[in-house]
Amino acid sequence: MNRNFNNRALTVSQKIYERLLRAYPPAHRAEYGPAMAQLFRDQCRDAWDESRGWGVMKLWLRVLPDLVKTSIIERLAALTQRKSMSDKITNLIQPRAIFFRVFAAVFLITVLVSVAITYILPESYASTARIKVENDKLDAGYDPYFIQTQFEIMQSQVVLEPVIDKLNLNVQWGKKYLNGETLKSAESLQILKGRISLVPVRNTKLVAITVYSDDPKEAASLANTIAAAYQDYRIQHNKQITPKGIEVLRQQFLDESNEIRQVKSEADLLRQQFKIGSEVSVNPSSEEKLYWDKKHILDQMTEGHELFAGKIKELKLDAQIPRPAMVTITDTAEPGRAPVKPNKTVNIVLGVIGGIFLAAVAGGTAAFIALHFRKKTSKAAATV
Amino acid sequence: MTLTKNPPPAIISITDTSVKMAKSKTDPESLLPLTPAVFHVLLALAGGERHGYAIMQEVADHTDGQIKMGPGTLYGTVKRLLEAQLIEESDERPDPHLDDDRRRYYRLTGVGEQVVSAEAQRYADIVKLARGKKLIRKPA
C-alpha cells in the first residue's frame, strides 16, 4: 500500500483528481476529500497494474462521470440544508416582535440612563439678589444700551475682582477644586462668571442677579456681594468721572475766556484808532464795518461763554449731591432650601419622552432591517 | 455511482433514501428497498469492518467486476449511511505495519445489520418467486 509510484501519468492523474475535488461542497470535501483522493490513488495503482496507461484512461472514463454526478448531488444536498437553515432564520425574524423588543430595550436604557444621570449630577442651589439700576445722568433720556452695558459691567473684572478678594475665593475654591492650591484670580473669575445669571425684571428697572453653587450659603453670599460690589463701583465711578469732566470743562472755559479777551482788545483798538462811536453811523466806512463785525462776534462769544460758566457751576453743584440711589439693592439673596439643579422631575419626564422617541426610531429601524432581511432570505430560499 | 453494466440509479433516489433513512431509524422495513450502491456497501460491511478501498474491492468481487464504485459514489453513500446511523466509523486501527493507519474504517450498526438482512430477505423472496415461475434455475 505504501509503495511509491514514480510514474508521471499516475502522479499527474492524482493531482488532477485532487483539484477536481473542488467541485464538491467545502464541508463534504473537508470530511471525505482525503479519503476520496486516497481511494483514487489505489484505483490508479490497480488500473496501472492491470493495463498501464490504457487502464488509467479507462479509470478516468469511469471516475469523471461519477465525479460530475456525485458533486451535483452533494451540492444539491448542501443547498437543501442551507434552505432549511434559512427557513429557520426567517421564522426567527419577526419584524413586529423585533420592533417591540428593540423598543422596550431602548426605552428602558434611555430612562435608566436619564434617572442615573439625574442622581449622579451634583446638586446646585440658586440664590437671587435684586437691584434697581438708574442712569447716572438725572436728565438723561432713554438709552437702549444702558441695561445691556450695565449687565456687562456686572460680569466684568472691575466688579467681580473685588468680590473674589472680599470672599477670598482664590483660597476657598482652591481648597474645593484644586486640592488646596490657591487659584489665580483669572481662574476664579472664570468660575464665577460661569455661575452668574442676570435677568432684567420686565417693565421695571430691576435686575435679578442669580448665582448657582453647590453650597446654598455660598450662592447667597456671592449674589449679595456682587450686588454690593456693583453698587460700590457705580458710586466710585461717578465720584471719579464728575471732577475729571468738570476739570476738562474748566480748562475749555479758560481757553474761551482768553479768546474773548483777545477779540475784545482787537475791537477796542479799532474803535480808538478810527474814533468809532457807540452808535452805527449812516454811511459807515470799511474800518467802521470791520469794527462792528468784530463787536458782533464778541457779543456772541460772550453770551455763549456766560452759558458755559452757568453749566460748569451747575455740574459742580450736581457733583456735590450724594447719589446712592443710582443702584439700590431691593432684595438680598437668601440661601436656597432645595437644589434647583438637577430638576429630577423634569429630567425624568424628559428621559421618558426622549426614550419613547429614541425607542420608536430604533425599533422602527430594526423592524425595517428585519423586514428587508426576511425578504432577502425568502428570495434566496426561493432561488435555492 | 459508477456502474460498468447496470444502469446507474437516479440521482434523486440516493438523496431520498438518505432522508428516509434518517426519519425512520427504528423500522428497517420502512427503509426498503435500498439502492444497489447502499445494499452493496452494507453487504460488504456485513463481513466485518472495512475501509473505503476494501469496500470498493469487495463490491467489485461480489459482482464479478460488474460494479466498480467511484470515490464520489462510495463516499457519498458512506456519508448518508453514517447520517442514517446504519454504519459507524470504527475507532480501532490495524497495526501500522500491516495497513495505512490514516485509512478510515467503517462497520455496521445494529440497525444496519437489520436493514441489510431485511433487504437480503427481500431479494431472496424475489428469487424464490422467479424460481416458482421458472425464470431462473436452482444452483447445482
Side-chain angles (χ1 to χ4, degrees), chain A residues 31 42-43 46 66 69, chain B residues 1 53 56 73 103-104:
Chain A
E31 184 68 25
D42 293 337
Q43 288 182 319
D46 291 348
D66 174 70
K69 186 182 74 183
Chain B
M1 183 171 67
Y53 179 65
M56 188 215 75
T73 302
R103 289 185 187 279
R104 296 165 72 170

Side-chain angles (χ1 to χ4, degrees), chain A residues 56-107:
Chain A
V56 174
M57 192 178 281
K58 280 200 291 183
L59 175 67
W60 269 114
L61 287 172
R62 280 204 319 269
V63 163
L64 270 178
D66 174 70
L67 188 139
V68 171
K69 186 182 74 183
T70 54
S71 64
I72 290 169
I73 290 168
E74 295 304 333
R75 288 271 174 196
L76 281 172
L79 280 175
T80 312
Q81 202 173 9
R82 204 180 299 163
K83 182 182 176 297
S84 67
M85 274 187 75
S86 75
D87 285 346
K88 281 177 191 170
I89 292 166
T90 307
N91 288 334
L92 281 174
I93 304 165
Q94 295 291 342
R96 189 180 290 181
I98 283 174
F99 174 83
F100 285 115
R101 279 178 203 156
V102 173
F103 184 93
V106 173
F107 178 74

Side-chain angles (χ1 to χ4, degrees), chain A residues 3 33 52 71 101 187 233 236 274 303 323 361:
Chain A
R3 279 187 293 168
R52 304 279 159 173
S71 64
R101 279 178 203 156
E187 292 168 335
Y233 162 78
Q236 292 305 320
F274 300 106
E303 195 182 339
R323 285 185 183 168
V361 171

Side-chain angles (χ1 to χ4, degrees), chain A residues 120-184:
Chain A
I120 287 167
L121 278 176
E123 291 183 330
S124 181
Y125 294 84
S127 286
T128 303
R130 297 211 300 179
I131 54 172
K132 187 183 173 196
V133 180
E134 298 277 3
N135 202 333
D136 293 341
K137 296 168 189 170
L138 293 173
D139 57 346
Y142 172 68
D143 181 0
Y145 304 111
F146 177 70
I147 283 290
Q148 200 56 44
T149 309
Q150 296 312 306
F151 276 12
E152 292 304 319
I153 290 169
M154 282 178 216
Q155 296 178 85
S156 70
Q157 206 173 348
V158 290
V159 172
L160 297 183
E161 272 206 341
V163 175
I164 292 167
D165 292 339
K166 192 174 178 184
L167 297 177
N168 201 15
L169 294 179
N170 288 340
V171 175
Q172 295 298 324
W173 283 354
K175 283 179 190 170
K176 202 186 268 187
Y177 304 119
L178 210 66
N179 299 323
E181 209 176 306
T182 306
L183 290 176
K184 289 176 187 169

Side-chain angles (χ1 to χ4, degrees), chain B:
Chain B
M1 183 171 67
T2 304
L3 301 174
T4 49
K5 289 183 180 173
N6 295 344
I11 290 168
I12 201 69
S13 68
I14 296 174
T15 314
D16 285 351
T17 308
S18 77
V19 173
K20 203 162 67 173
M21 285 172 179
K23 279 180 182 171
S24 51
K25 289 179 229 167
T26 49
D27 182 13
E29 293 289 335
S30 66
L31 301 176
L32 305 183
L34 300 177
T35 61
V38 169
F39 181 57
H40 281 291
V41 170
L42 291 177
L43 210 55
L45 290 174
E49 61 184 51
R50 304 267 190 281
H51 53 67
Y53 179 65
I55 294 169
M56 188 215 75
Q57 277 185 318
E58 191 151 339
V59 171
D61 289 346
H62 288 166
T63 58
D64 293 330
Q66 288 181 354
I67 297 176
K68 287 184 178 173
M69 300 177 95
T73 302
L74 179 67
Y75 281 100
T77 307
V78 165
K79 179 186 172 185
R80 283 163 184 79
L81 290 172
L82 284 168
E83 284 169 359
Q85 296 175 9
L86 296 187
I87 64 168
E88 61 191 0
E89 197 170 341
S90 171
D91 296 330
E92 292 169 20
R93 289 287 179 271
D95 190 338
H97 297 293
L98 299 173
D99 200 358
D100 187 348
D101 60 344
R102 290 172 301 176
R103 289 185 187 279
R104 296 165 72 170
Y105 281 72
Y106 304 96
R107 66 183 172 213
L108 283 180
T109 61
V111 181
E113 278 181 24
Q114 290 174 30
V115 170
V116 72
S117 298
E119 181 71 347
Q121 187 58 52
R122 195 177 68 82
Y123 273 108
D125 293 345
I126 292 168
V127 169
K128 194 177 171 185
L129 188 66
R131 279 193 188 127
K133 295 191 175 185
K134 303 196 187 299
L135 292 171
I136 50 173
R137 291 177 191 171
K138 276 187 181 180

